[in-house]
Amino acid sequence: MNSYEVSVETDISGGMPAFEIVGLPDAAVKESRDRVRSAIKNCGFAFPIGRITVNLAPADVKKIGPVYDLAILMGILSASGQINEIAEKTAFVGELSLNGDVRKVNGVLSMTLKARDLGYKSIVVPFENRFEAGVIKGIDVLPARSVFEILGHFFRDEKIVPYISNLEENDASFDADYDFCDVKGQQTAKRALEIAAAGGHNILMIGSPGSGKSMLAKRLPSILPEMTFEESLRTTEIHSIAGVLPSGVSLIRTRPFRSPHHTVSPFGLSGGGVYPRPGEISLAHNGVLFLDELPEFNKNALEILRQPLEDGKVTVSRVSGTVTFPCSFMTVAAMNPCKCGYRGHPTKPCSCSERAANQYISKISGPLLDRFDMHIEVMPVNFTELTDKRKEECSKDIRERVNRARIIARERFSALGSEITCNAQMSESLCAKVCTLTEDAEFLLKTAFEKTGMSARAYNRVLKVARTIADLEQSQQIQDEHILEAIQYRSLDRKYWSK
């Protein structure tokens, strides 16, 4: 996530012709020798005859990828006296083709941000990376298609116009196909998702096949608050580093929705590889991670989620080093109540035995279940609800209520000197300060705690959800009805996991 400065030092001396790159380069960096040699010749320059040594400093940090091609070429041309030294402090980022074209690389947004912070006046980037790099103010972003354009800018009167991204072109918008007005019935589930969106809570939906779990989950981003510029910047950085930033997008303005298949490996979920890359949970940063058919996921993959759900970050350790990726996201999971999927269905009989049904449910460990603030039953929609011609509430109206609740929470946390933005992120100490209950609400919560055998974590989850419900009602104190509704969203603890 954090870029660092690499100085490309070039020395040309006598002796047997050789071209060496030192400074812990990987295979892609070593292959720069062939790309740079061909690009220099095909651009009409003479490749120096002699011993060429290129040092990538700092020498004790592993260098990966073709991002250094352009800087190496400029260093060789300068060291051989074919171009003059560039006066202004300029950074060069880009991969070279054999004919001298500059190709797209990953992570340019993070690099541009670091270059500005280090005091660089300008940065040369591939033309295809101009959108993301142009978001950063305070540094001239020079998008180049080829080496000729770069040399024309610095040594001839053929200036490249610095690129500035027009963020209005990437305003937050939602797919019209994913609006809550298309969901018939399911008022309880819609209410639960509204509460989850208002507080940033994790939610688990249990229901029979075809009851609308996936349909509801896909519409959740349409009611989430708009992303702040800082959130957009961090989310775009991750997608840029992973190489999955859509072409032509300068800044991701809509919250990510990631839905990995249940066959995903633990490394695909958390991130990894020889040189660790962000996984699905990091790509969902500031957005939604949807896990459909939750019990079908690999057990090791699910258990990996436990720490990120608590800390909002994931640490990946490999031989090449240890990296930490941010992963603050809402988890929405869906599952059937049994293997056949029809346990508790009003019309279809379940073919699973009691033991088989319990074994299926028990694939979800208690500690992981505790990390879901809410778990609800999604009942099948009946014919009357499905054919009802009345217009359902649209996402825009729900989103307005969610925004109001988020503003109330943000102002409350700001007054306490906290930087968190939603109720789900509260620590235990902060929860004790802001979750003030009436006497009736406190008695009700105590009774529920004792009768249901709640864990301490589940108790805190109920408090946080109740705080969000109170915010939606614009209530300073948590009332007994808020506690009742919050406990309702933990009722599956008793129904399925008590055995």
Side-chain angles (χ1 to χ4, degrees):
M1 286 296 296
N2 299 318
S3 294
Y4 55 91
E5 183 181 29
V6 175
S7 299
V8 180
E9 303 169 350
T10 309
D11 177 72
I12 303 177
S13 59
M16 292 293 291
F19 188 177
E20 296 292 336
I21 299 177
V22 297
L24 289 182
D26 75 340
V29 179
K30 289 179 181 178
E31 290 171 355
S32 293
R33 295 175 297 190
D34 299 315
R35 292 191 295 270
V36 170
R37 181 186 287 110
S38 296
I40 288 176
K41 290 180 178 179
N42 292 330
C43 287
F45 293 94
F47 190 78
I49 303 299
R51 185 173 183 83
I52 303 172
T53 304
V54 173
N55 179 42
L56 305 179
D60 61 341
V61 178
K62 187 75 176 178
K63 316 300 187 308
I64 60 174
V67 67
Y68 308 102
D69 288 7
L70 187 54
I72 292 172
L73 178 140
M74 298 298 291
I76 291 175
L77 292 181
S78 179
S80 62
Q82 298 181 73
I83 62 173
N84 297 323
E85 189 173 330
I86 296 172
E88 65 183 32
K89 193 173 182 182
T90 304
F92 293 88
V93 173
E95 176 187 343
L96 288 171
S97 69
L98 299 185
N99 64 356
D101 290 340
V102 183
R103 289 178 172 165
K104 180 181 178 181
V105 294
N106 298 335
V108 167
L109 176 60
S110 179
M111 298 177 200
T112 306
L113 188 60
K114 186 65 174 181
R116 183 199 65 182
D117 294 342
L118 290 172
Y120 282 84
K121 302 299 181 184
S122 58
I123 180 170
V124 177
V125 302
F127 189 78
E128 291 180 66
N129 290 118
R130 68 191 185 282
F131 299 105
E132 54 182 297
V135 170
I136 308 302
K137 310 301 180 186
I139 185 171
D140 289 339
V141 174
L142 306 176
R145 293 184 178 89
S146 67
V147 173
F148 291 112
E149 287 189 4
I150 298 170
L151 298 179
H153 173 82
F154 288 105
F155 305 111
R156 298 189 298 272
D157 193 20
E158 301 172 5
K159 298 297 182 183
I160 299 174
V161 179
Y163 185 83
I164 300 175
S165 291
N166 182 9
L167 298 182
E168 293 181 359
E169 294 177 355
N170 294 280
D171 279 343
S173 60
F174 298 106
D175 192 332
D177 292 335
Y178 295 104
D179 194 292
F180 270 95
C181 66
D182 300 323
V183 182
K184 297 292 185 181
Q186 301 294 7
Q187 299 306 321
T188 301
K190 288 180 185 177
R191 169 65 176 174
L193 287 173
E194 179 181 338
I195 294 168
H201 302 292
N202 302 320
I203 184 169
L204 170 64
M205 296 184 287
I206 298 181
S208 303
S211 56
K213 302 184 297 295
S214 299
M215 187 179 189
L216 288 161
K218 289 176 182 177
R219 282 154 179 76
L220 181 59
S222 68
I223 63 172
L224 290 173
E226 291 183 5
M227 298 177 76
T228 64
F229 179 78
E230 187 65 23
E231 287 177 332
S232 294
L233 196 63
R234 297 304 163 212
T235 302
T236 308
E237 272 189 316
I238 296 172
H239 284 71
S240 175
I241 289 167
V244 295
L245 187 66
S247 179
V249 172
S250 58
L251 203 63
I252 294 176
R253 305 298 296 275
T254 56
R255 296 189 180 273
F257 182 87
R258 304 294 299 186
S259 180
H261 192 260
H262 59 75
T263 56
V264 66
S265 69
F267 302 123
L269 203 58
S270 66
V274 178
Y275 304 110
R277 295 292 184 187
E280 287 291 337
I281 62 176
S282 294
L283 294 174
H285 184 56
N286 292 320
V288 176
L289 178 71
F290 178 46
L291 304 176
D292 201 6
E293 304 297 343
L294 188 64
E296 303 300 332
F297 278 78
N298 181 286
K299 184 177 181 180
N300 292 333
L302 288 182
E303 294 307 310
I304 276 175
L305 288 173
R306 286 163 60 173
Q307 182 228 347
L309 286 175
E310 287 289 321
D311 302 336
K313 58 185 179 182
V314 59
T315 300
V316 181
S317 297
R318 295 291 182 271
V319 174
S320 58
T322 299
V323 296
T324 298
F325 297 116
C327 56
S328 178
F329 56 90
M330 276 184 65
T331 306
V332 180
M335 61 181 289
N336 296 330
C338 62
K339 189 69 176 178
C340 76
Y342 295 107
R343 189 185 190 196
H345 195 281
T347 57
K348 295 185 178 181
C350 173
S351 60
C352 301
S353 66
E354 190 72 18
R355 180 180 178 184
N358 289 333
Q359 283 180 341
Y360 183 75
I361 293 295
S362 65
K363 289 182 180 181
I364 313 301
S365 68
L368 180 61
L369 176 68
D370 258 355
R371 284 166 171 80
F372 284 97
D373 301 1
M374 309 166 67
H375 26 87
I376 62 170
E377 286 183 283
V378 181
M379 299 303 294
V381 180
N382 59 43
F383 182 80
T384 304
E385 291 174 325
L386 198 59
T387 56
D388 193 342
K389 301 300 182 182
R390 288 179 298 180
K391 189 175 181 181
E392 299 286 344
E393 190 174 28
C394 66
S395 293
K396 183 180 178 182
D397 296 335
I398 301 173
R399 193 183 192 192
E400 288 178 0
R401 295 195 296 270
V402 169
N403 277 327
R404 283 198 299 269
R406 287 273 186 135
I407 291 170
I408 290 171
R410 193 160 51 243
E411 289 176 350
R412 181 171 57 243
F413 297 136
S414 179
L416 293 172
S418 176
E419 296 182 356
I420 65 174
T421 58
C422 61
N423 292 328
Q425 298 171 348
M426 287 191 292
S427 63
E428 284 73 11
S429 58
L430 192 58
C431 190
K433 290 180 182 178
V434 303
C435 296
T436 55
L437 288 75
T438 63
E439 288 185 8
D440 290 344
E442 189 169 353
F443 175 77
L444 189 61
L445 184 56
K446 178 185 176 183
T447 304
F449 181 86
E450 292 174 348
K451 287 190 175 182
T452 62
M454 269 184 210
S455 67
R457 182 182 283 116
Y459 167 80
N460 280 317
R461 303 288 182 187
V462 169
L463 267 183
K464 292 175 183 180
V465 173
R467 179 67 268 174
T468 301
I469 297 170
D471 289 343
L472 284 167
E473 301 296 330
Q474 301 183 40
S475 171
Q476 291 289 337
Q477 278 192 311
I478 298 176
Q479 308 290 332
D480 53 351
E481 60 265 26
H482 304 149
I483 291 291
L484 275 172
E485 187 173 3
I487 293 172
Q488 173 190 331
Y489 301 128
R490 301 290 304 189
S491 63
L492 298 185
D493 280 344
R494 299 194 305 275
K495 186 169 184 179
Y496 290 115
W497 278 268
S498 59
K499 297 183 180 181

Short mmCIF file of all heavy atoms in Angstrom, two decimals, residues 212-251:
data_model
loop_
_atom_site.label_atom_id
_atom_site.label_comp_id
_atom_site.label_asym_id
_atom_site.label_seq_id
_atom_site.Cartn_x
_atom_site.Cartn_y
_atom_site.Cartn_z
N GLY A 212 -34.87 -14.64 -2.00
CA GLY A 212 -34.45 -13.27 -2.31
C GLY A 212 -33.22 -12.79 -1.57
O GLY A 212 -32.95 -11.59 -1.54
N LYS A 213 -32.42 -13.70 -1.00
CA LYS A 213 -31.25 -13.29 -0.23
C LYS A 213 -30.23 -12.56 -1.12
O LYS A 213 -29.74 -11.49 -0.77
CB LYS A 213 -30.59 -14.51 0.42
CG LYS A 213 -31.52 -15.30 1.35
CD LYS A 213 -30.81 -16.43 2.03
CE LYS A 213 -30.29 -17.50 1.08
NZ LYS A 213 -31.36 -18.21 0.36
N SER A 214 -29.90 -13.15 -2.25
CA SER A 214 -28.92 -12.53 -3.16
C SER A 214 -29.46 -11.23 -3.74
O SER A 214 -28.72 -10.25 -3.89
CB SER A 214 -28.56 -13.49 -4.30
OG SER A 214 -27.97 -14.67 -3.79
N MET A 215 -30.73 -11.21 -4.06
CA MET A 215 -31.36 -10.01 -4.61
C MET A 215 -31.26 -8.84 -3.62
O MET A 215 -30.95 -7.71 -4.00
CB MET A 215 -32.83 -10.31 -4.93
CG MET A 215 -33.55 -9.20 -5.65
SD MET A 215 -35.26 -9.68 -6.00
CE MET A 215 -35.78 -8.34 -7.08
N LEU A 216 -31.51 -9.12 -2.35
CA LEU A 216 -31.41 -8.09 -1.32
C LEU A 216 -29.98 -7.63 -1.13
O LEU A 216 -29.71 -6.43 -1.04
CB LEU A 216 -31.96 -8.64 0.00
CG LEU A 216 -33.47 -8.82 0.10
CD1 LEU A 216 -33.83 -9.76 1.24
CD2 LEU A 216 -34.18 -7.47 0.29
N ALA A 217 -29.04 -8.58 -1.10
CA ALA A 217 -27.64 -8.24 -0.86
C ALA A 217 -27.08 -7.36 -1.97
O ALA A 217 -26.34 -6.39 -1.70
CB ALA A 217 -26.81 -9.51 -0.73
N LYS A 218 -27.43 -7.65 -3.22
CA LYS A 218 -26.91 -6.88 -4.35
C LYS A 218 -27.41 -5.44 -4.34
O LYS A 218 -26.78 -4.57 -4.95
CB LYS A 218 -27.29 -7.56 -5.67
CG LYS A 218 -26.55 -8.86 -5.92
CD LYS A 218 -27.02 -9.55 -7.18
CE LYS A 218 -26.29 -10.87 -7.39
NZ LYS A 218 -26.79 -11.59 -8.58
N ARG A 219 -28.52 -5.19 -3.65
CA ARG A 219 -29.06 -3.83 -3.59
C ARG A 219 -28.57 -3.04 -2.38
O ARG A 219 -28.88 -1.85 -2.26
CB ARG A 219 -30.60 -3.91 -3.61
CG ARG A 219 -31.14 -4.17 -5.00
CD ARG A 219 -32.50 -4.85 -5.02
NE ARG A 219 -32.95 -5.03 -6.40
CZ ARG A 219 -32.48 -5.96 -7.24
NH1 ARG A 219 -31.56 -6.79 -6.84
NH2 ARG A 219 -32.93 -6.03 -8.48
N LEU A 220 -27.81 -3.68 -1.52
CA LEU A 220 -27.33 -2.97 -0.33
C LEU A 220 -26.45 -1.77 -0.67
O LEU A 220 -26.61 -0.70 -0.05
CB LEU A 220 -26.57 -3.95 0.57
CG LEU A 220 -26.01 -3.36 1.87
CD1 LEU A 220 -27.13 -2.79 2.74
CD2 LEU A 220 -25.23 -4.42 2.65
N PRO A 221 -25.51 -1.83 -1.64
CA PRO A 221 -24.70 -0.64 -1.94
C PRO A 221 -25.52 0.58 -2.34
O PRO A 221 -25.07 1.71 -2.16
CB PRO A 221 -23.81 -1.11 -3.11
CG PRO A 221 -23.70 -2.58 -2.92
CD PRO A 221 -25.05 -3.01 -2.41
N SER A 222 -26.73 0.36 -2.86
CA SER A 222 -27.54 1.50 -3.30
C SER A 222 -28.10 2.32 -2.15
O SER A 222 -28.59 3.43 -2.36
CB SER A 222 -28.70 1.00 -4.18
OG SER A 222 -29.64 0.26 -3.41
N ILE A 223 -28.02 1.81 -0.91
CA ILE A 223 -28.51 2.59 0.23
C ILE A 223 -27.38 2.98 1.19
O ILE A 223 -27.63 3.62 2.21
CB ILE A 223 -29.61 1.82 1.01
CG1 ILE A 223 -29.05 0.53 1.62
CG2 ILE A 223 -30.81 1.54 0.13
CD1 ILE A 223 -30.03 -0.17 2.56
N LEU A 224 -26.16 2.62 0.84
CA LEU A 224 -25.03 3.02 1.68
C LEU A 224 -24.68 4.48 1.43
O LEU A 224 -24.90 5.00 0.33
CB LEU A 224 -23.81 2.15 1.38
CG LEU A 224 -23.89 0.69 1.84
CD1 LEU A 224 -22.68 -0.09 1.34
CD2 LEU A 224 -23.97 0.61 3.36
N PRO A 225 -24.13 5.19 2.42
CA PRO A 225 -23.76 6.60 2.23
C PRO A 225 -22.72 6.76 1.14
O PRO A 225 -21.94 5.85 0.85
CB PRO A 225 -23.19 7.01 3.60
CG PRO A 225 -23.67 5.98 4.55
CD PRO A 225 -23.83 4.71 3.78
N GLU A 226 -22.70 7.94 0.53
CA GLU A 226 -21.68 8.22 -0.48
C GLU A 226 -20.30 8.19 0.15
O GLU A 226 -20.11 8.52 1.31
CB GLU A 226 -21.93 9.60 -1.11
CG GLU A 226 -23.17 9.66 -1.97
CD GLU A 226 -23.33 11.02 -2.64
OE1 GLU A 226 -22.41 11.86 -2.50
OE2 GLU A 226 -24.36 11.25 -3.29
N MET A 227 -19.32 7.80 -0.65
CA MET A 227 -17.95 7.73 -0.16
C MET A 227 -17.35 9.12 -0.04
O MET A 227 -17.58 9.98 -0.89
CB MET A 227 -17.10 6.88 -1.10
CG MET A 227 -17.54 5.45 -1.23
SD MET A 227 -16.56 4.51 -2.42
CE MET A 227 -15.06 4.23 -1.48
N THR A 228 -16.57 9.33 1.01
CA THR A 228 -15.81 10.57 1.12
C THR A 228 -14.63 10.50 0.16
O THR A 228 -14.29 9.43 -0.36
CB THR A 228 -15.29 10.77 2.56
OG1 THR A 228 -14.36 9.71 2.86
CG2 THR A 228 -16.44 10.75 3.56
N PHE A 229 -13.97 11.63 -0.08
CA PHE A 229 -12.83 11.64 -0.99
C PHE A 229 -11.71 10.74 -0.46
O PHE A 229 -11.08 10.02 -1.23
CB PHE A 229 -12.29 13.07 -1.16
CG PHE A 229 -11.10 13.16 -2.06
CD1 PHE A 229 -11.23 13.10 -3.44
CD2 PHE A 229 -9.82 13.27 -1.52
CE1 PHE A 229 -10.12 13.16 -4.27
CE2 PHE A 229 -8.70 13.33 -2.34
CZ PHE A 229 -8.85 13.28 -3.72
N GLU A 230 -11.49 10.77 0.85
CA GLU A 230 -10.44 9.95 1.44
C GLU A 230 -10.75 8.46 1.27
O GLU A 230 -9.87 7.66 0.94
CB GLU A 230 -10.28 10.28 2.93
CG GLU A 230 -9.10 9.61 3.61
CD GLU A 230 -7.76 10.07 3.09
OE1 GLU A 230 -7.69 11.18 2.53
OE2 GLU A 230 -6.78 9.31 3.22
N GLU A 231 -12.02 8.08 1.47
CA GLU A 231 -12.40 6.68 1.27
C GLU A 231 -12.21 6.27 -0.18
O GLU A 231 -11.72 5.18 -0.47
CB GLU A 231 -13.86 6.48 1.69
CG GLU A 231 -14.11 6.49 3.18
CD GLU A 231 -15.58 6.35 3.54
OE1 GLU A 231 -16.43 6.77 2.73
OE2 GLU A 231 -15.87 5.83 4.63
N SER A 232 -12.62 7.14 -1.10
CA SER A 232 -12.45 6.85 -2.53
C SER A 232 -10.98 6.68 -2.89
O SER A 232 -10.61 5.79 -3.67
CB SER A 232 -13.06 7.98 -3.37
OG SER A 232 -14.46 8.05 -3.21
N LEU A 233 -10.14 7.53 -2.32
CA LEU A 233 -8.71 7.48 -2.62
C LEU A 233 -8.10 6.17 -2.17
O LEU A 233 -7.36 5.50 -2.92
CB LEU A 233 -8.01 8.66 -1.94
CG LEU A 233 -6.60 9.03 -2.41
CD1 LEU A 233 -6.63 9.47 -3.87
CD2 LEU A 233 -6.02 10.13 -1.54
N ARG A 234 -8.42 5.75 -0.93
CA ARG A 234 -7.85 4.51 -0.41
C ARG A 234 -8.37 3.28 -1.16
O ARG A 234 -7.64 2.33 -1.44
CB ARG A 234 -8.17 4.37 1.09
CG ARG A 234 -7.56 5.45 1.95
CD ARG A 234 -6.07 5.53 1.78
NE ARG A 234 -5.53 6.80 2.28
CZ ARG A 234 -4.49 7.42 1.77
NH1 ARG A 234 -3.87 6.91 0.74
NH2 ARG A 234 -4.07 8.56 2.28
N THR A 235 -9.65 3.31 -1.50
CA THR A 235 -10.23 2.19 -2.25
C THR A 235 -9.61 2.09 -3.64
O THR A 235 -9.29 1.00 -4.12
CB THR A 235 -11.76 2.36 -2.37
OG1 THR A 235 -12.33 2.45 -1.05
CG2 THR A 235 -12.39 1.20 -3.11
N THR A 236 -9.44 3.24 -4.30
CA THR A 236 -8.83 3.26 -5.63
C THR A 236 -7.39 2.78 -5.58
O THR A 236 -6.93 2.06 -6.48
CB THR A 236 -8.90 4.67 -6.23
OG1 THR A 236 -10.24 5.16 -6.17
CG2 THR A 236 -8.44 4.67 -7.69
N GLU A 237 -6.66 3.15 -4.54
CA GLU A 237 -5.28 2.70 -4.37
C GLU A 237 -5.19 1.17 -4.38
O GLU A 237 -4.34 0.59 -5.05
CB GLU A 237 -4.70 3.23 -3.06
CG GLU A 237 -4.05 4.59 -3.16
CD GLU A 237 -3.31 4.96 -1.89
OE1 GLU A 237 -3.86 4.73 -0.80
OE2 GLU A 237 -2.19 5.46 -2.00
N ILE A 238 -6.07 0.54 -3.61
CA ILE A 238 -6.05 -0.93 -3.52
C ILE A 238 -6.34 -1.56 -4.87
O ILE A 238 -5.66 -2.49 -5.30
CB ILE A 238 -7.06 -1.42 -2.47
CG1 ILE A 238 -6.68 -0.91 -1.07
CG2 ILE A 238 -7.14 -2.94 -2.46
CD1 ILE A 238 -7.72 -1.17 -0.01
N HIS A 239 -7.36 -1.05 -5.56
CA HIS A 239 -7.71 -1.60 -6.87
C HIS A 239 -6.60 -1.35 -7.89
O HIS A 239 -6.36 -2.17 -8.78
CB HIS A 239 -9.03 -1.01 -7.35
CG HIS A 239 -10.23 -1.58 -6.67
ND1 HIS A 239 -10.55 -1.32 -5.36
CD2 HIS A 239 -11.20 -2.43 -7.12
CE1 HIS A 239 -11.65 -1.96 -5.02
NE2 HIS A 239 -12.06 -2.65 -6.07
N SER A 240 -5.93 -0.22 -7.77
CA SER A 240 -4.82 0.09 -8.67
C SER A 240 -3.65 -0.86 -8.45
O SER A 240 -3.07 -1.39 -9.39
CB SER A 240 -4.37 1.55 -8.46
OG SER A 240 -3.22 1.84 -9.24
N ILE A 241 -3.31 -1.11 -7.19
CA ILE A 241 -2.22 -2.01 -6.85
C ILE A 241 -2.52 -3.43 -7.33
O ILE A 241 -1.65 -4.13 -7.84
CB ILE A 241 -1.96 -2.00 -5.33
CG1 ILE A 241 -1.35 -0.67 -4.91
CG2 ILE A 241 -1.06 -3.15 -4.91
CD1 ILE A 241 -1.36 -0.44 -3.42
N ALA A 242 -3.78 -3.85 -7.19
CA ALA A 242 -4.18 -5.20 -7.59
C ALA A 242 -4.35 -5.33 -9.10
O ALA A 242 -4.51 -6.44 -9.62
CB ALA A 242 -5.48 -5.59 -6.89
N GLY A 243 -4.34 -4.19 -9.82
CA GLY A 243 -4.49 -4.23 -11.27
C GLY A 243 -5.91 -4.47 -11.74
O GLY A 243 -6.11 -4.95 -12.86
N VAL A 244 -6.90 -4.13 -10.91
CA VAL A 244 -8.29 -4.35 -11.29
C VAL A 244 -9.08 -3.05 -11.40
O VAL A 244 -10.30 -3.06 -11.43
CB VAL A 244 -9.00 -5.30 -10.28
CG1 VAL A 244 -8.37 -6.67 -10.31
CG2 VAL A 244 -8.95 -4.74 -8.86
N LEU A 245 -8.37 -1.91 -11.45
CA LEU A 245 -9.05 -0.62 -11.61
C LEU A 245 -9.62 -0.54 -13.02
O LEU A 245 -8.88 -0.70 -14.00
CB LEU A 245 -8.07 0.52 -11.36
CG LEU A 245 -8.66 1.93 -11.32
CD1 LEU A 245 -9.59 2.08 -10.12
CD2 LEU A 245 -7.56 2.98 -11.26
N PRO A 246 -10.93 -0.30 -13.18
CA PRO A 246 -11.52 -0.25 -14.52
C PRO A 246 -10.86 0.82 -15.39
O PRO A 246 -10.48 1.89 -14.90
CB PRO A 246 -13.00 0.09 -14.24
CG PRO A 246 -13.23 -0.34 -12.82
CD PRO A 246 -11.93 -0.12 -12.11
N SER A 247 -10.72 0.53 -16.65
CA SER A 247 -10.11 1.48 -17.59
C SER A 247 -10.94 2.76 -17.68
O SER A 247 -12.16 2.73 -17.75
CB SER A 247 -10.01 0.83 -18.98
OG SER A 247 -9.45 1.73 -19.90
N GLY A 248 -10.26 3.89 -17.64
CA GLY A 248 -10.92 5.18 -17.77
C GLY A 248 -11.47 5.73 -16.47
O GLY A 248 -12.06 6.81 -16.47
N VAL A 249 -11.30 5.03 -15.35
CA VAL A 249 -11.81 5.48 -14.06
C VAL A 249 -10.68 6.16 -13.30
O VAL A 249 -9.61 5.61 -13.12
CB VAL A 249 -12.37 4.30 -13.23
CG1 VAL A 249 -12.72 4.74 -11.82
CG2 VAL A 249 -13.60 3.72 -13.92
N SER A 250 -10.92 7.40 -12.87
CA SER A 250 -9.91 8.12 -12.11
C SER A 250 -10.02 7.82 -10.62
O SER A 250 -9.02 7.72 -9.92
CB SER A 250 -10.05 9.63 -12.35
OG SER A 250 -11.34 10.08 -12.00
N LEU A 251 -11.24 7.69 -10.14
CA LEU A 251 -11.46 7.48 -8.71
C LEU A 251 -12.72 6.65 -8.54
O LEU A 251 -13.75 6.92 -9.16
CB LEU A 251 -11.63 8.84 -8.01
CG LEU A 251 -11.32 8.92 -6.51
CD1 LEU A 251 -9.86 8.59 -6.25
CD2 LEU A 251 -11.63 10.31 -5.99
#
